[in-house]
Structures are given as C-alpha cells and as structure tokens.
Amino acid sequence: MNTFAQPLQTSRLVMRPVEPADAAAFLSWRSRPDVMRFMYQEPWTPETAEAKLAEWSATRELAKTGDAVQFAVARRRHPETLIGELMLKRAEGEAQAEIGWTLDPAAQGRGYATEAAGALLNLAFGELGFHRAFARLDEENLPSVRLCVRLGMRLEARHIENDRRPADGVWSTELVYAVLASEFAQSADSLRV
C-alpha cells in the first residue's frame, strides 16, 4: 500500500495531495470550457468543485486498482497559490500507473507541466516501484502530446473516434503514450526535476 502524506518538490514546484480548501483554485481552471474540452467533462460548477475536492482529499493511497491520488501544484515561492494539478492512478495490470496533469492556462508555457509530471514519474518508478506508466489524451491536445514526448514517452495506441467530447460533441481520437521505468531512467537525465 502506498500512502501519500509528504509533498513532492522540485527546484521550482511543490506538489501535495489535494485538500477540500483547494476547491476554489481548481474551479478557476476546471470551470473553463477550453480546459475541460480535453478532459471529457463539462465545466465545473462551484458545487462540483466542492464535492470533487472533498472526495479526492479522502484518497491518500494507491491500495487497489482504480485508486487515484490527486496532487495540487504550486510554485515553491508562492505555495499558497495553486497553478495546476496532477493525478497518479493505480491502473489495471501488475505495476501499471496512469498519470495526468492540468495547468491553469495562466501558468502554461514555462515548463511547469514537464517539471511536475517528471517528478510524478520519478515517484511512480522510484519509491512506488511501478513498472510502466501511461497517459491518455485527446489527439488534438498538442501541448500534452509534446509533453509526453519530452518525458520520453512513446505513442503506443491511437483509438480513432472512440469517445465523444461533452463540451463540443465531437468524436475524438484518443492517444495512449507510455514509458517503462527503465526507459524513463535513461531519459530522466534530460529532465530538470
């Protein structure tokens, strides 16, 4: 069983398990249609934010398949101001993890997503001992596609028009990028995490 109490830190960021008080910050980006378009969800309401953060803050371990821990991301110099989120989920199969990320659009373009997701992979492969990690994303989400490539992940699957986005009703194509622990160890030297 893997329990999370301590925050992850990089040179610029701190990532800690979410708390109910994070609802307003998460709402600031999850209420935006342009952000939620690629998350296959309707934009959040204040009630949704409160309910989700209360639910997510209760999960601090990856004990069984489907368990997910959500992390709040902040700059180390301003830990009170959240700029995004990370997700680490125990996936089906032995030693398999799914990762995900979302940044407030105001914080994008500064390398924070690469730094945060790289730290999450370091945790997944190092302390937690996962063998493989993957990310599922919309083919049109080009910043996330580029992030997967920067992380040393490879395209493993392309599911053509397998899901309909609630925000615009478009049938979208899902990409699955993945990396093995051994592969990430070789590419991690190029990441500044």
Side-chain angles (χ1 to χ4, degrees), residues 88 99 116-126 133-134 151 153 179 184 191:
L88 179 62
I99 63 170
L120 192 64
L121 286 172
N122 279 332
L123 172 70
F125 293 137
F134 66 92
L151 292 170
M153 302 176 91
V179 63
F184 184 71
L191 296 174

mmCIF file with all atom_site columns, all heavy atoms in Angstrom, residues 88 99 116-126 133-134 151 153 179 184 191:
data_model
loop_
_atom_site.group_PDB
_atom_site.id
_atom_site.type_symbol
_atom_site.label_atom_id
_atom_site.label_alt_id
_atom_site.label_comp_id
_atom_site.label_asym_id
_atom_site.label_entity_id
_atom_site.label_seq_id
_atom_site.pdbx_PDB_ins_code
_atom_site.Cartn_x
_atom_site.Cartn_y
_atom_site.Cartn_z
_atom_site.occupancy
_atom_site.B_iso_or_equiv
_atom_site.pdbx_formal_charge
_atom_site.auth_seq_id
_atom_site.auth_comp_id
_atom_site.auth_asym_id
_atom_site.auth_atom_id
_atom_site.pdbx_PDB_model_num
ATOM 1   N N   . LEU A 1 88  ? -2.196 10.559 -10.134 1.00 0.00 ? 88  LEU A N   1
ATOM 2   C CA  . LEU A 1 88  ? -1.489 9.282  -10.201 1.00 0.00 ? 88  LEU A CA  1
ATOM 3   C C   . LEU A 1 88  ? -2.487 8.207  -9.820  1.00 0.00 ? 88  LEU A C   1
ATOM 4   O O   . LEU A 1 88  ? -3.072 8.254  -8.739  1.00 0.00 ? 88  LEU A O   1
ATOM 5   C CB  . LEU A 1 88  ? -0.289 9.267  -9.254  1.00 0.00 ? 88  LEU A CB  1
ATOM 6   C CG  . LEU A 1 88  ? 0.531  7.980  -9.210  1.00 0.00 ? 88  LEU A CG  1
ATOM 7   C CD1 . LEU A 1 88  ? 1.152  7.680  -10.576 1.00 0.00 ? 88  LEU A CD1 1
ATOM 8   C CD2 . LEU A 1 88  ? 1.613  8.080  -8.140  1.00 0.00 ? 88  LEU A CD2 1
ATOM 9   N N   . ILE A 1 99  ? -0.969 8.453  -15.379 1.00 0.00 ? 99  ILE A N   1
ATOM 10  C CA  . ILE A 1 99  ? -0.703 9.797  -14.899 1.00 0.00 ? 99  ILE A CA  1
ATOM 11  C C   . ILE A 1 99  ? -1.521 10.795 -15.709 1.00 0.00 ? 99  ILE A C   1
ATOM 12  O O   . ILE A 1 99  ? -1.914 10.516 -16.844 1.00 0.00 ? 99  ILE A O   1
ATOM 13  C CB  . ILE A 1 99  ? 0.801  10.157 -14.964 1.00 0.00 ? 99  ILE A CB  1
ATOM 14  C CG1 . ILE A 1 99  ? 1.310  10.164 -16.411 1.00 0.00 ? 99  ILE A CG1 1
ATOM 15  C CG2 . ILE A 1 99  ? 1.615  9.201  -14.093 1.00 0.00 ? 99  ILE A CG2 1
ATOM 16  C CD1 . ILE A 1 99  ? 2.707  10.749 -16.565 1.00 0.00 ? 99  ILE A CD1 1
ATOM 17  N N   . ALA A 1 116 ? 6.576  19.052 -13.243 1.00 0.00 ? 116 ALA A N   1
ATOM 18  C CA  . ALA A 1 116 ? 5.658  18.364 -12.333 1.00 0.00 ? 116 ALA A CA  1
ATOM 19  C C   . ALA A 1 116 ? 5.442  16.912 -12.745 1.00 0.00 ? 116 ALA A C   1
ATOM 20  O O   . ALA A 1 116 ? 5.517  15.999 -11.915 1.00 0.00 ? 116 ALA A O   1
ATOM 21  C CB  . ALA A 1 116 ? 4.322  19.110 -12.279 1.00 0.00 ? 116 ALA A CB  1
ATOM 22  N N   . ALA A 1 117 ? 5.169  16.685 -14.031 1.00 0.00 ? 117 ALA A N   1
ATOM 23  C CA  . ALA A 1 117 ? 4.935  15.312 -14.494 1.00 0.00 ? 117 ALA A CA  1
ATOM 24  C C   . ALA A 1 117 ? 6.209  14.475 -14.378 1.00 0.00 ? 117 ALA A C   1
ATOM 25  O O   . ALA A 1 117 ? 6.141  13.279 -14.058 1.00 0.00 ? 117 ALA A O   1
ATOM 26  C CB  . ALA A 1 117 ? 4.423  15.321 -15.930 1.00 0.00 ? 117 ALA A CB  1
ATOM 27  N N   . GLY A 1 118 ? 7.371  15.065 -14.602 1.00 0.00 ? 118 GLY A N   1
ATOM 28  C CA  . GLY A 1 118 ? 8.628  14.345 -14.421 1.00 0.00 ? 118 GLY A CA  1
ATOM 29  C C   . GLY A 1 118 ? 8.830  13.921 -12.976 1.00 0.00 ? 118 GLY A C   1
ATOM 30  O O   . GLY A 1 118 ? 9.258  12.800 -12.689 1.00 0.00 ? 118 GLY A O   1
ATOM 31  N N   . ALA A 1 119 ? 8.486  14.807 -12.039 1.00 0.00 ? 119 ALA A N   1
ATOM 32  C CA  . ALA A 1 119 ? 8.586  14.463 -10.614 1.00 0.00 ? 119 ALA A CA  1
ATOM 33  C C   . ALA A 1 119 ? 7.607  13.351 -10.260 1.00 0.00 ? 119 ALA A C   1
ATOM 34  O O   . ALA A 1 119 ? 7.927  12.462 -9.462  1.00 0.00 ? 119 ALA A O   1
ATOM 35  C CB  . ALA A 1 119 ? 8.312  15.698 -9.756  1.00 0.00 ? 119 ALA A CB  1
ATOM 36  N N   . LEU A 1 120 ? 6.427  13.383 -10.857 1.00 0.00 ? 120 LEU A N   1
ATOM 37  C CA  . LEU A 1 120 ? 5.437  12.332 -10.606 1.00 0.00 ? 120 LEU A CA  1
ATOM 38  C C   . LEU A 1 120 ? 5.939  10.985 -11.125 1.00 0.00 ? 120 LEU A C   1
ATOM 39  O O   . LEU A 1 120 ? 5.781  9.953  -10.459 1.00 0.00 ? 120 LEU A O   1
ATOM 40  C CB  . LEU A 1 120 ? 4.103  12.708 -11.248 1.00 0.00 ? 120 LEU A CB  1
ATOM 41  C CG  . LEU A 1 120 ? 2.904  11.870 -10.848 1.00 0.00 ? 120 LEU A CG  1
ATOM 42  C CD1 . LEU A 1 120 ? 2.604  12.025 -9.350  1.00 0.00 ? 120 LEU A CD1 1
ATOM 43  C CD2 . LEU A 1 120 ? 1.684  12.282 -11.659 1.00 0.00 ? 120 LEU A CD2 1
ATOM 44  N N   . LEU A 1 121 ? 6.564  10.977 -12.295 1.00 0.00 ? 121 LEU A N   1
ATOM 45  C CA  . LEU A 1 121 ? 7.134  9.734  -12.827 1.00 0.00 ? 121 LEU A CA  1
ATOM 46  C C   . LEU A 1 121 ? 8.302  9.252  -11.965 1.00 0.00 ? 121 LEU A C   1
ATOM 47  O O   . LEU A 1 121 ? 8.454  8.052  -11.745 1.00 0.00 ? 121 LEU A O   1
ATOM 48  C CB  . LEU A 1 121 ? 7.570  9.919  -14.278 1.00 0.00 ? 121 LEU A CB  1
ATOM 49  C CG  . LEU A 1 121 ? 6.434  9.977  -15.302 1.00 0.00 ? 121 LEU A CG  1
ATOM 50  C CD1 . LEU A 1 121 ? 6.967  10.360 -16.673 1.00 0.00 ? 121 LEU A CD1 1
ATOM 51  C CD2 . LEU A 1 121 ? 5.686  8.653  -15.362 1.00 0.00 ? 121 LEU A CD2 1
ATOM 52  N N   . ASN A 1 122 ? 9.114  10.181 -11.470 1.00 0.00 ? 122 ASN A N   1
ATOM 53  C CA  . ASN A 1 122 ? 10.185 9.783  -10.550 1.00 0.00 ? 122 ASN A CA  1
ATOM 54  C C   . ASN A 1 122 ? 9.614  9.079  -9.331  1.00 0.00 ? 122 ASN A C   1
ATOM 55  O O   . ASN A 1 122 ? 10.142 8.057  -8.887  1.00 0.00 ? 122 ASN A O   1
ATOM 56  C CB  . ASN A 1 122 ? 10.999 11.005 -10.099 1.00 0.00 ? 122 ASN A CB  1
ATOM 57  C CG  . ASN A 1 122 ? 12.033 11.430 -11.107 1.00 0.00 ? 122 ASN A CG  1
ATOM 58  O OD1 . ASN A 1 122 ? 12.532 10.631 -11.876 1.00 0.00 ? 122 ASN A OD1 1
ATOM 59  N ND2 . ASN A 1 122 ? 12.338 12.715 -11.112 1.00 0.00 ? 122 ASN A ND2 1
ATOM 60  N N   . LEU A 1 123 ? 8.532  9.603  -8.777  1.00 0.00 ? 123 LEU A N   1
ATOM 61  C CA  . LEU A 1 123 ? 7.869  8.979  -7.638  1.00 0.00 ? 123 LEU A CA  1
ATOM 62  C C   . LEU A 1 123 ? 7.309  7.612  -8.020  1.00 0.00 ? 123 LEU A C   1
ATOM 63  O O   . LEU A 1 123 ? 7.519  6.620  -7.319  1.00 0.00 ? 123 LEU A O   1
ATOM 64  C CB  . LEU A 1 123 ? 6.740  9.876  -7.130  1.00 0.00 ? 123 LEU A CB  1
ATOM 65  C CG  . LEU A 1 123 ? 5.838  9.267  -6.057  1.00 0.00 ? 123 LEU A CG  1
ATOM 66  C CD1 . LEU A 1 123 ? 6.590  9.120  -4.736  1.00 0.00 ? 123 LEU A CD1 1
ATOM 67  C CD2 . LEU A 1 123 ? 4.587  10.122 -5.870  1.00 0.00 ? 123 LEU A CD2 1
ATOM 68  N N   . ALA A 1 124 ? 6.607  7.559  -9.149  1.00 0.00 ? 124 ALA A N   1
ATOM 69  C CA  . ALA A 1 124 ? 5.962  6.311  -9.572  1.00 0.00 ? 124 ALA A CA  1
ATOM 70  C C   . ALA A 1 124 ? 6.984  5.198  -9.781  1.00 0.00 ? 124 ALA A C   1
ATOM 71  O O   . ALA A 1 124 ? 6.778  4.063  -9.332  1.00 0.00 ? 124 ALA A O   1
ATOM 72  C CB  . ALA A 1 124 ? 5.164  6.539  -10.852 1.00 0.00 ? 124 ALA A CB  1
ATOM 73  N N   . PHE A 1 125 ? 8.084  5.510  -10.432 1.00 0.00 ? 125 PHE A N   1
ATOM 74  C CA  . PHE A 1 125 ? 9.072  4.481  -10.746 1.00 0.00 ? 125 PHE A CA  1
ATOM 75  C C   . PHE A 1 125 ? 10.056 4.242  -9.612  1.00 0.00 ? 125 PHE A C   1
ATOM 76  O O   . PHE A 1 125 ? 10.560 3.136  -9.450  1.00 0.00 ? 125 PHE A O   1
ATOM 77  C CB  . PHE A 1 125 ? 9.840  4.849  -12.019 1.00 0.00 ? 125 PHE A CB  1
ATOM 78  C CG  . PHE A 1 125 ? 8.995  4.822  -13.262 1.00 0.00 ? 125 PHE A CG  1
ATOM 79  C CD1 . PHE A 1 125 ? 9.102  5.831  -14.204 1.00 0.00 ? 125 PHE A CD1 1
ATOM 80  C CD2 . PHE A 1 125 ? 8.100  3.794  -13.491 1.00 0.00 ? 125 PHE A CD2 1
ATOM 81  C CE1 . PHE A 1 125 ? 8.341  5.807  -15.367 1.00 0.00 ? 125 PHE A CE1 1
ATOM 82  C CE2 . PHE A 1 125 ? 7.323  3.763  -14.646 1.00 0.00 ? 125 PHE A CE2 1
ATOM 83  C CZ  . PHE A 1 125 ? 7.445  4.774  -15.584 1.00 0.00 ? 125 PHE A CZ  1
ATOM 84  N N   . GLY A 1 126 ? 10.341 5.255  -8.844  1.00 0.00 ? 126 GLY A N   1
ATOM 85  C CA  . GLY A 1 126 ? 11.305 5.129  -7.764  1.00 0.00 ? 126 GLY A CA  1
ATOM 86  C C   . GLY A 1 126 ? 10.677 4.540  -6.515  1.00 0.00 ? 126 GLY A C   1
ATOM 87  O O   . GLY A 1 126 ? 10.642 3.322  -6.322  1.00 0.00 ? 126 GLY A O   1
ATOM 88  N N   . ALA A 1 133 ? 4.186  3.383  -16.873 1.00 0.00 ? 133 ALA A N   1
ATOM 89  C CA  . ALA A 1 133 ? 3.234  4.480  -16.668 1.00 0.00 ? 133 ALA A CA  1
ATOM 90  C C   . ALA A 1 133 ? 2.730  4.936  -18.026 1.00 0.00 ? 133 ALA A C   1
ATOM 91  O O   . ALA A 1 133 ? 3.464  4.915  -19.016 1.00 0.00 ? 133 ALA A O   1
ATOM 92  C CB  . ALA A 1 133 ? 3.883  5.638  -15.927 1.00 0.00 ? 133 ALA A CB  1
ATOM 93  N N   . PHE A 1 134 ? 1.464  5.343  -18.057 1.00 0.00 ? 134 PHE A N   1
ATOM 94  C CA  . PHE A 1 134 ? 0.882  5.799  -19.317 1.00 0.00 ? 134 PHE A CA  1
ATOM 95  C C   . PHE A 1 134 ? -0.007 7.003  -19.091 1.00 0.00 ? 134 PHE A C   1
ATOM 96  O O   . PHE A 1 134 ? -0.448 7.280  -17.978 1.00 0.00 ? 134 PHE A O   1
ATOM 97  C CB  . PHE A 1 134 ? 0.110  4.670  -20.015 1.00 0.00 ? 134 PHE A CB  1
ATOM 98  C CG  . PHE A 1 134 ? -1.111 4.203  -19.267 1.00 0.00 ? 134 PHE A CG  1
ATOM 99  C CD1 . PHE A 1 134 ? -2.364 4.756  -19.516 1.00 0.00 ? 134 PHE A CD1 1
ATOM 100 C CD2 . PHE A 1 134 ? -1.014 3.191  -18.322 1.00 0.00 ? 134 PHE A CD2 1
ATOM 101 C CE1 . PHE A 1 134 ? -3.486 4.315  -18.836 1.00 0.00 ? 134 PHE A CE1 1
ATOM 102 C CE2 . PHE A 1 134 ? -2.127 2.742  -17.632 1.00 0.00 ? 134 PHE A CE2 1
ATOM 103 C CZ  . PHE A 1 134 ? -3.365 3.311  -17.889 1.00 0.00 ? 134 PHE A CZ  1
ATOM 104 N N   . LEU A 1 151 ? 8.835  13.854 -21.944 1.00 0.00 ? 151 LEU A N   1
ATOM 105 C CA  . LEU A 1 151 ? 9.002  12.940 -20.820 1.00 0.00 ? 151 LEU A CA  1
ATOM 106 C C   . LEU A 1 151 ? 9.613  11.598 -21.235 1.00 0.00 ? 151 LEU A C   1
ATOM 107 O O   . LEU A 1 151 ? 9.852  10.743 -20.390 1.00 0.00 ? 151 LEU A O   1
ATOM 108 C CB  . LEU A 1 151 ? 7.655  12.693 -20.129 1.00 0.00 ? 151 LEU A CB  1
ATOM 109 C CG  . LEU A 1 151 ? 7.061  13.885 -19.394 1.00 0.00 ? 151 LEU A CG  1
ATOM 110 C CD1 . LEU A 1 151 ? 5.630  13.581 -18.964 1.00 0.00 ? 151 LEU A CD1 1
ATOM 111 C CD2 . LEU A 1 151 ? 7.921  14.279 -18.197 1.00 0.00 ? 151 LEU A CD2 1
ATOM 112 N N   . MET A 1 153 ? 8.099  9.475  -23.287 1.00 0.00 ? 153 MET A N   1
ATOM 113 C CA  . MET A 1 153 ? 7.021  8.508  -23.513 1.00 0.00 ? 153 MET A CA  1
ATOM 114 C C   . MET A 1 153 ? 6.880  8.257  -25.010 1.00 0.00 ? 153 MET A C   1
ATOM 115 O O   . MET A 1 153 ? 7.201  9.116  -25.831 1.00 0.00 ? 153 MET A O   1
ATOM 116 C CB  . MET A 1 153 ? 5.709  9.037  -22.918 1.00 0.00 ? 153 MET A CB  1
ATOM 117 C CG  . MET A 1 153 ? 5.808  9.322  -21.432 1.00 0.00 ? 153 MET A CG  1
ATOM 118 S SD  . MET A 1 153 ? 4.300  10.055 -20.748 1.00 0.00 ? 153 MET A SD  1
ATOM 119 C CE  . MET A 1 153 ? 3.447  8.546  -20.252 1.00 0.00 ? 153 MET A CE  1
ATOM 120 N N   . VAL A 1 179 ? 5.655  4.836  -20.942 1.00 0.00 ? 179 VAL A N   1
ATOM 121 C CA  . VAL A 1 179 ? 7.088  4.709  -20.732 1.00 0.00 ? 179 VAL A CA  1
ATOM 122 C C   . VAL A 1 179 ? 7.308  3.660  -19.655 1.00 0.00 ? 179 VAL A C   1
ATOM 123 O O   . VAL A 1 179 ? 6.525  3.556  -18.707 1.00 0.00 ? 179 VAL A O   1
ATOM 124 C CB  . VAL A 1 179 ? 7.734  6.065  -20.348 1.00 0.00 ? 179 VAL A CB  1
ATOM 125 C CG1 . VAL A 1 179 ? 7.198  6.600  -19.033 1.00 0.00 ? 179 VAL A CG1 1
ATOM 126 C CG2 . VAL A 1 179 ? 9.249  5.992  -20.346 1.00 0.00 ? 179 VAL A CG2 1
ATOM 127 N N   . PHE A 1 184 ? 12.475 5.461  -18.692 1.00 0.00 ? 184 PHE A N   1
ATOM 128 C CA  . PHE A 1 184 ? 12.440 6.764  -18.053 1.00 0.00 ? 184 PHE A CA  1
ATOM 129 C C   . PHE A 1 184 ? 13.762 7.047  -17.346 1.00 0.00 ? 184 PHE A C   1
ATOM 130 O O   . PHE A 1 184 ? 14.249 8.171  -17.373 1.00 0.00 ? 184 PHE A O   1
ATOM 131 C CB  . PHE A 1 184 ? 11.281 6.863  -17.057 1.00 0.00 ? 184 PHE A CB  1
ATOM 132 C CG  . PHE A 1 184 ? 11.156 8.229  -16.453 1.00 0.00 ? 184 PHE A CG  1
ATOM 133 C CD1 . PHE A 1 184 ? 10.713 9.311  -17.201 1.00 0.00 ? 184 PHE A CD1 1
ATOM 134 C CD2 . PHE A 1 184 ? 11.498 8.442  -15.129 1.00 0.00 ? 184 PHE A CD2 1
ATOM 135 C CE1 . PHE A 1 184 ? 10.615 10.578 -16.653 1.00 0.00 ? 184 PHE A CE1 1
ATOM 136 C CE2 . PHE A 1 184 ? 11.407 9.708  -14.569 1.00 0.00 ? 184 PHE A CE2 1
ATOM 137 C CZ  . PHE A 1 184 ? 10.955 10.775 -15.329 1.00 0.00 ? 184 PHE A CZ  1
ATOM 138 N N   . LEU A 1 191 ? 15.707 15.706 -18.165 1.00 0.00 ? 191 LEU A N   1
ATOM 139 C CA  . LEU A 1 191 ? 14.686 16.498 -17.476 1.00 0.00 ? 191 LEU A CA  1
ATOM 140 C C   . LEU A 1 191 ? 15.287 17.162 -16.249 1.00 0.00 ? 191 LEU A C   1
ATOM 141 O O   . LEU A 1 191 ? 16.060 16.556 -15.533 1.00 0.00 ? 191 LEU A O   1
ATOM 142 C CB  . LEU A 1 191 ? 13.524 15.589 -17.035 1.00 0.00 ? 191 LEU A CB  1
ATOM 143 C CG  . LEU A 1 191 ? 12.729 14.913 -18.119 1.00 0.00 ? 191 LEU A CG  1
ATOM 144 C CD1 . LEU A 1 191 ? 11.732 13.954 -17.498 1.00 0.00 ? 191 LEU A CD1 1
ATOM 145 C CD2 . LEU A 1 191 ? 12.014 15.923 -18.981 1.00 0.00 ? 191 LEU A CD2 1
#
